[in-house]
Amino acid sequence: MKRLATLDASWLAVDSEDTPMHVGTMQIFSVPEGAPETFLRDVVERMKAQREVAKPWCYKLSYPGNLGRLIAPKWKIDDDIDLDYHVRHSALPRPGSERELGVLISRLHSNRLDFSRPLWECHIIEGLENNRFALYTKMHHSLIDGISGVRLMQRVLSTDPNETNMLPPWAVRPDQLRASKDDDEASIAAAVSHALDALKLQADMAPRLWGAASRLINSVRHPEDELTAPFTGPVSLLNHRVTGQRRFATQHYQMERIRKLAKVAHGSLNDIVLYLCGTALRRFLTEQGELPETSLTAGIPVSIRPADDQNTGNQISFMIASLATDEADPLTRLQDIKNSTKKAKEHLQKLPKAALTQYTMMLMSPYILQLVTGMGGRMRPVFNVTISNVPGPSQALYYEGAKLEAMYPVSLIAHGGALNITCLSYDGSLNFGYTGCRDTLPSMQKLAVYTGEALDELESLLMPDAASNTEAPESRAPAKA
Amino acid sequence: MKRLATLDASWLAVDSEDTPMHVGTMQIFSVPEGAPETFLRDVVERMKAQREVAKPWCYKLSYPGNLGRLIAPKWKIDDDIDLDYHVRHSALPRPGSERELGVLISRLHSNRLDFSRPLWECHIIEGLENNRFALYTKMHHSLIDGISGVRLMQRVLSTDPNETNMLPPWAVRPDQLRASKDDDEASIAAAVSHALDALKLQADMAPRLWGAASRLINSVRHPEDELTAPFTGPVSLLNHRVTGQRRFATQHYQMERIRKLAKVAHGSLNDIVLYLCGTALRRFLTEQGELPETSLTAGIPVSIRPADDQNTGNQISFMIASLATDEADPLTRLQDIKNSTKKAKEHLQKLPKAALTQYTMMLMSPYILQLVTGMGGRMRPVFNVTISNVPGPSQALYYEGAKLEAMYPVSLIAHGGALNITCLSYDGSLNFGYTGCRDTLPSMQKLAVYTGEALDELESLLMPDAASNTEAPESRAPAKA
């Protein structure tokens, strides 16, 4: 039996009907050309025949004594896994477009995991139009974080389209995992983990930490006027308590389009992503008469090289930037966002390593506390929306000869933060996954559509000649739920 | 706001992850011949366009004050129902046989309802082989009981294959419901309700009732030796605590086959049903080395005419009969079952009306208490398995021209009773629905198959000449999960 880390245990403690704490990955594959009619069924059968279950897929919770979930749960290895329960073959109703897929993923992501079994499900979904299928895998956040989940699913795949008899996700042993270029990524979970390392947080220290963090934050003297501080975002539609049902939507664009815009705008790729999200959010909230007077803020995990450190590479930190949703003019909005991220990054980059670590901890602590105590939505938000931009594989990947066409994280949301946007690059495209609370965001698919329209608009503003030639064939109708 | 009846409220109180208290109906339809490719999508669109939601579909729970679920919940009318949430278009993976359907129904029936919304879901399922589709509707037991749910879904249908533009289930107002021949049916829920009427049970009387019922049961002097008393069944595999996941399987046979057997055996239709279930259970438990030495007992709702009442028709009562699972010889087993049901019925029929009511209450009380207190599986079972046999519509029914081919109740199970078998007659066939606990009954589909094989065997024993000619084309592979 393996003891759960304190933080992992807290994801269990905060899991509830309204805030199920699992994370997912959705992958879309093309059936190989010339494959037999039975291709997918054969794949499912081969997958299910592989009954050896590796870590962490074989872990289930064990509660020594009768003291309930909060008291020191442990992981134990389940050597009698009901694989027919965990591995599920599903189908989409016709026409099987991204829309029907989004609806199904939303439903599946809304269902809680069964806590008496290993905390994962793997759904193989047939009937996606243009001879494609999808794989949706969910796992509890106490076992894995969202980006590590994406990595886990990615490492099951091969760069070789001719490789066959591949292992199913649950049978790939950690030591067989294809090496990742960098395990330390600018994800929310990594930032949380760095923040906690800095503090050696124990669950019973939480009240003391809360006080310390509040004092620290109040005492911060920002040298730059334009630095966006925590707790300065408005209390928006996105920052109340959430309910248990989810929506999921997707968009993907050619990376080249984003890259060109970043170059012309003298900004970073991330600035363009923030601009697209901010612009879509501004329109979305305006239409509902819910646009706050002050700008929404985004919490963004970043990878930073400390000022005094030339050797050990980057460190994960966290920044808060303005989305300039209070600015009506698109180009001024872009400029505001660029200024905000520039100031935030400069601020981080000036910090020596020790201070950077402490600063990250200070900035993240209230967010972490809102998460693990479930207090989010009952206090002022630390920031309004989480936007992550994570680099993914640059080469095409395959499973049993089926090409991976796109890959999206399906995130968790928590009280006080009804929307999560995570972008993942893959093989020349940028994949946007929107995870939201069903009741808070009844027309979330519009937000996804507006992101695409913001991209078209920015192109026509910054590159008026080029934009007229762009047909944007890869900008699909969004998956909606 | 409408106050919940005490019993209805108790279904909410006992609802848990392990024992979700909803009941379902599964209906299978054929797409009309010559219908366009888009038939089902059009039906779903037409259904969803009907946004007027009738009672009880529009009721949602309201908890005045902050005292949690147990404290006096009320029904209030939800006038802003998110119909896209409740009405779900799904599909089966290929080949879309009864097996894939059973797997999907099992999953859907395992998911709990969202208590912040009206307590129902309606799933339209495409991709069932031979150009068929299915409708699975679930509703919380605090709103409806299983058989009333079947009736509700039945009354939405028409006997006219040419009727179109029909209302979806949730839009049929109670006063528009086609009249049923008899609202007082021999179902578990009706027996429970009669038992409670007799006692005017209040939730706070439960402890007193428990004592009274125990005394009554202990004091019963059965005049006949062969009368099967409550609490005399063994503690079998079926009678422990249950976990939250379900299995669902189906079988259907020509009613004519059962009727002929009943005639040749000088027994009732119900005797044959009990024989088939008992025989299948005996084989199923034997294979697992779990056959108890003494016979399993079944709890069976029955419709009885009291001895002193020539006018008011039948009354619902309850009997406990032996399934003779301890008897190896098939014909002796049938004889034992016939004796047991005969004695039980004679006993009931001799009772005057007042005593019958009291007897029903006495017999049902421990069962009701095990249900509503969630104590089942922690004490000796009142009986081992519930088997209901409910008469359904004798004519073919249609929805938007699509013929209803079969209809099955999907029941709830509770601690102490991991299996429910409910049979429903429809248009010349008898439809068996098996609902079980996934973990307790890992090969429940075998139980369904064995029922069919028990039918074949009994025919060859009782009608050796006729049986060799029977090809039983309607005995399909069971839906499995």
Side-chain angles (χ1 to χ4, degrees):
Chain A
M1 298 235 281
K2 184 190 162 202
R3 184 98 188 269
L4 267 77
T6 306
L7 183 65
D8 291 340
S10 69
W11 300 125
L12 289 172
V14 80
D15 192 291
S16 74
E17 272 176 49
D18 287 336
T19 57
M21 287 284 136
H22 51 257
V23 291
T25 307
M26 183 180 91
Q27 297 171 306
I28 294 179
F29 293 89
S30 304
V31 173
E33 266 185 57
E37 174 89 357
T38 56
F39 174 80
L40 191 56
R41 256 169 87 196
D42 298 344
V43 166
V44 173
E45 246 173 56
R46 255 198 321 276
M47 285 173 107
K48 281 194 167 186
Q50 183 55 259
R51 305 194 79 84
E52 250 178 68
V53 180
K55 294 172 190 172
W57 309 82
C58 62
Y59 282 141
K60 79 173 184 183
L61 287 168
S62 158
Y63 301 101
N66 240 334
L67 294 169
R69 270 195 196 148
L70 280 168
I71 314 300
K74 288 186 166 60
W75 293 121
K76 76 171 186 191
I77 289 175
D78 187 344
D79 42 24
D80 184 27
I81 294 184
D82 178 357
L83 218 49
D84 286 330
Y85 175 84
H86 295 277
V87 184
R88 300 178 165 207
H89 190 174
S90 301
L92 297 179
R94 279 172 286 179
S97 71
E98 248 89 353
R99 181 187 167 91
E100 283 77 27
L101 179 60
V103 169
L104 181 60
I105 300 293
S106 303
R107 289 178 194 160
L108 297 177
H109 202 62
S110 299
N111 292 335
R112 287 175 81 185
L113 291 161
D114 185 337
F115 279 75
S116 66
R117 305 170 192 274
L119 292 169
W120 62 276
E121 293 169 13
C122 182
H123 300 254
I124 301 106
I125 301 163
E126 74 177 47
L128 187 58
E129 62 184 5
N130 302 324
N131 208 22
R132 294 173 301 159
F133 66 94
L135 207 62
Y136 161 73
T137 315
K138 80 201 249 196
M139 197 177 255
H140 200 271
H141 195 20
S142 56
L143 278 173
I144 207 156
D145 66 75
I147 291 303
S148 304
V150 169
R151 296 287 173 246
L152 192 67
M153 292 309 294
Q154 173 186 327
R155 286 168 203 168
V156 172
L157 308 180
S158 167
T159 52
D160 177 3
N162 297 313
E163 190 174 338
T164 52
N165 292 312
M166 294 170 68
L167 289 172
W170 57 88
V172 178
R173 288 214 310 271
D175 54 7
Q176 290 172 322
L177 291 176
R178 289 154 216 267
S180 119
K181 62 175 174 36
D182 187 5
D183 270 319
D184 223 9
E185 313 201 57
S187 68
I188 279 278
V192 165
S193 158
H194 277 256
L196 292 184
D197 278 354
L199 201 84
K200 305 266 176 273
L201 174 73
Q202 300 296 320
D204 56 358
M205 283 184 58
R208 266 193 291 158
L209 173 64
W210 176 244
S214 302
R215 280 193 301 278
L216 271 166
I217 285 162
N218 289 325
S219 69
V220 172
R221 298 284 173 269
H222 294 298
E224 303 89 354
D225 292 329
E226 285 164 276
L227 189 63
T228 306
F231 295 107
T232 58
V235 178
S236 78
L237 184 66
L238 305 175
N239 304 109
H240 303 298
R241 307 286 290 174
V242 296
T243 53
Q245 306 297 329
R246 298 288 166 264
R247 290 182 197 272
F248 181 62
T250 60
Q251 288 271 296
H252 66 149
Y253 311 107
Q254 283 178 3
M255 186 61 110
E256 200 43 37
R257 292 178 71 188
I258 317 270
R259 234 182 242 126
K260 270 187 197 155
L261 284 174
K263 200 176 160 195
V264 175
H266 303 291
S268 70
L269 212 120
N270 208 40
D271 288 338
I272 303 298
V273 167
L274 293 179
Y275 169 83
L276 299 178
C277 297
T279 303
L281 274 166
R282 176 180 158 84
R283 181 166 162 198
F284 180 78
L285 292 173
T286 303
E287 283 182 354
Q288 299 185 45
E290 290 276 1
L291 184 71
E293 274 181 37
T294 54
S295 172
L296 294 186
T297 60
I300 307 153
V302 286
S303 179
I304 287 285
R305 185 179 294 267
D308 59 352
D309 193 343
Q310 301 308 319
N311 292 319
T312 59
N314 290 351
Q315 183 160 346
I316 305 305
S317 185
F318 195 77
M319 68 183 194
I320 295 177
S322 166
L323 290 174
T325 52
D326 55 340
E327 175 53 56
D329 177 64
L331 293 181
T332 314
R333 194 180 318 129
L334 178 58
Q335 193 55 49
D336 286 358
I337 291 171
K338 274 168 51 192
N339 288 347
S340 175
T341 57
K342 186 160 169 272
K343 296 289 177 194
K345 260 191 241 160
E346 282 171 3
H347 180 65
L348 288 174
Q349 270 158 347
K350 275 185 210 153
L351 296 172
K353 192 176 171 175
L356 179 63
T357 301
Q358 207 187 16
Y359 182 81
T360 305
M361 181 275 289
M362 186 194 74
L363 210 59
M364 292 294 292
S365 306
Y367 171 72
I368 299 168
L369 280 175
Q370 285 196 358
L371 268 183
V372 302
T373 60
M375 283 294 287
R378 296 225 166 94
M379 44 177 73
R380 202 173 173 80
V382 182
F383 47 84
N384 295 107
V385 54
T386 305
I387 302 179
S388 312
N389 185 2
V390 185
S394 50
Q395 278 180 286
L397 296 175
Y398 298 84
Y399 188 70
E400 299 281 75
K403 188 185 173 201
L404 178 70
E405 300 287 349
M407 172 160 59
Y408 304 91
V410 191
S411 303
L412 60 80
I413 62 171
H415 288 307
L419 176 65
N420 176 300
I421 305 177
T422 302
C423 305
L424 188 70
S425 61
Y426 165 62
D427 190 24
S429 67
L430 190 59
N431 302 318
F432 283 62
Y434 304 77
T435 312
C437 168
R438 180 180 179 90
D439 292 311
T440 310
L441 300 169
S443 3
M444 198 185 77
Q445 77 283 8
K446 282 192 198 161
L447 199 57
V449 174
Y450 295 168
T451 309
E453 294 182 11
L455 178 58
D456 295 343
E457 187 196 39
L458 190 62
E459 279 175 340
S460 69
L461 287 171
L462 289 180
M463 310 185 294
D465 303 330
S468 58
N469 302 327
T470 304
E471 275 188 55
E474 85 290 2
S475 169
R476 295 170 191 274
K480 176 253 172 177
Chain B
M1 298 234 283
K2 186 189 161 204
R3 182 101 188 267
L4 268 78
T6 306
L7 183 64
D8 291 341
S10 68
W11 299 126
L12 288 173
V14 79
D15 191 292
S16 74
E17 271 176 49
D18 287 336
T19 58
M21 287 284 136
H22 51 256
V23 291
T25 307
M26 182 181 92
Q27 298 171 305
I28 294 178
F29 294 88
S30 305
V31 173
E33 265 185 55
E37 173 91 356
T38 57
F39 174 81
L40 191 57
R41 257 169 86 195
D42 298 343
V43 166
V44 174
E45 250 175 52
R46 256 199 319 278
M47 286 173 106
K48 281 194 167 187
Q50 184 52 260
R51 305 193 80 84
E52 252 178 65
V53 180
K55 294 173 192 172
W57 309 82
C58 61
Y59 283 142
K60 79 173 185 183
L61 287 169
S62 158
Y63 301 100
N66 239 335
L67 294 169
R69 269 193 198 150
L70 279 168
I71 314 301
K74 289 186 164 59
W75 293 122
K76 76 171 186 191
I77 289 174
D78 186 344
D79 40 25
D80 184 28
I81 294 184
D82 178 359
L83 218 50
D84 286 330
Y85 176 84
H86 295 276
V87 184
R88 300 176 165 208
H89 190 172
S90 301
L92 297 180
R94 279 171 286 180
S97 71
E98 249 88 354
R99 182 188 166 92
E100 282 78 26
L101 179 61
V103 169
L104 180 59
I105 300 293
S106 304
R107 288 177 196 162
L108 297 177
H109 202 62
S110 299
N111 293 336
R112 287 176 81 185
L113 291 161
D114 184 337
F115 278 75
S116 65
R117 305 170 193 272
L119 293 167
W120 61 276
E121 292 169 14
C122 182
H123 300 253
I124 301 106
I125 301 162
E126 73 176 48
L128 187 58
E129 61 184 4
N130 302 324
N131 208 20
R132 293 173 301 158
F133 66 94
L135 207 61
Y136 161 73
T137 315
K138 80 201 247 196
M139 197 176 255
H140 200 270
H141 195 20
S142 55
L143 279 173
I144 208 155
D145 66 74
I147 291 304
S148 303
V150 169
R151 296 288 174 245
L152 192 67
M153 291 308 295
Q154 172 185 328
R155 286 167 204 168
V156 172
L157 308 180
S158 166
T159 52
D160 178 3
N162 298 314
E163 190 173 336
T164 52
N165 291 313
M166 294 170 67
L167 289 172
W170 56 89
V172 177
R173 287 216 309 273
D175 54 7
Q176 290 172 323
L177 291 176
R178 290 153 215 266
S180 121
K181 62 175 174 38
D182 187 4
D183 270 321
D184 224 11
E185 312 200 58
S187 68
I188 279 277
V192 165
S193 158
H194 277 256
L196 292 185
D197 279 351
L199 201 83
K200 305 265 177 273
L201 174 72
Q202 301 295 321
D204 56 358
M205 285 184 57
R208 267 192 289 156
L209 173 65
W210 176 245
S214 301
R215 280 193 301 279
L216 273 165
I217 285 162
N218 289 325
S219 70
V220 174
R221 297 285 173 269
H222 294 298
E224 303 87 355
D225 292 328
E226 286 163 275
L227 189 63
T228 306
F231 295 107
T232 58
V235 178
S236 78
L237 184 65
L238 305 175
N239 305 110
H240 303 298
R241 308 285 291 174
V242 296
T243 53
Q245 307 296 328
R246 299 289 165 264
R247 289 181 198 270
F248 182 62
T250 61
Q251 288 271 295
H252 66 150
Y253 312 107
Q254 283 177 3
M255 186 63 109
E256 200 43 37
R257 292 177 71 188
I258 317 272
R259 233 182 242 126
K260 269 188 196 156
L261 285 174
K263 199 175 161 197
V264 174
H266 305 290
S268 69
L269 212 121
N270 208 39
D271 289 338
I272 304 299
V273 167
L274 293 178
Y275 170 83
L276 299 178
C277 297
T279 303
L281 273 167
R282 176 181 158 83
R283 182 167 160 198
F284 179 78
L285 293 173
T286 303
E287 284 182 354
Q288 299 185 47
E290 290 276 359
L291 184 72
E293 274 182 37
T294 55
S295 173
L296 294 185
T297 61
I300 307 153
V302 285
S303 179
I304 286 285
R305 184 179 296 268
D308 57 352
D309 192 342
Q310 302 307 318
N311 293 320
T312 58
N314 290 352
Q315 184 160 346
I316 304 307
S317 185
F318 195 77
M319 67 182 194
I320 295 175
S322 167
L323 290 174
T325 51
D326 55 340
E327 175 53 56
D329 177 63
L331 293 181
T332 314
R333 194 181 315 130
L334 177 58
Q335 194 56 49
D336 285 359
I337 292 172
K338 274 168 52 192
N339 288 347
S340 175
T341 57
K342 185 160 170 271
K343 295 290 176 193
K345 260 192 239 158
E346 282 172 4
H347 179 65
L348 288 174
Q349 269 157 348
K350 274 185 209 153
L351 296 171
K353 191 175 173 177
L356 179 62
T357 301
Q358 207 187 16
Y359 182 81
T360 305
M361 181 274 288
M362 186 193 75
L363 210 58
M364 291 294 293
S365 308
Y367 171 72
I368 299 167
L369 280 176
Q370 286 196 356
L371 268 183
V372 302
T373 61
M375 283 294 288
R378 296 225 166 94
M379 42 176 73
R380 202 172 174 80
V382 183
F383 47 85
N384 296 106
V385 54
T386 305
I387 302 179
S388 312
N389 185 1
V390 186
S394 51
Q395 278 179 285
L397 296 175
Y398 300 83
Y399 188 71
E400 299 280 74
K403 189 184 174 203
L404 177 70
E405 300 288 348
M407 174 160 57
Y408 304 91
V410 192
S411 304
L412 60 79
I413 63 170
H415 288 307
L419 176 67
N420 176 301
I421 305 176
T422 302
C423 305
L424 188 71
S425 62
Y426 166 62
D427 189 25
S429 68
L430 191 60
N431 303 319
F432 283 61
Y434 305 76
T435 311
C437 168
R438 180 179 180 91
D439 292 311
T440 311
L441 300 169
S443 2
M444 200 185 75
Q445 76 281 10
K446 281 193 197 162
L447 200 57
V449 174
Y450 295 169
T451 309
E453 295 183 10
L455 177 58
D456 295 342
E457 186 197 40
L458 190 62
E459 280 175 339
S460 70
L461 288 171
L462 289 179
M463 310 185 294
D465 302 333
S468 57
N469 301 328
T470 303
E471 275 190 54
E474 83 290 3
S475 169
R476 292 169 192 273
K480 174 253 170 175

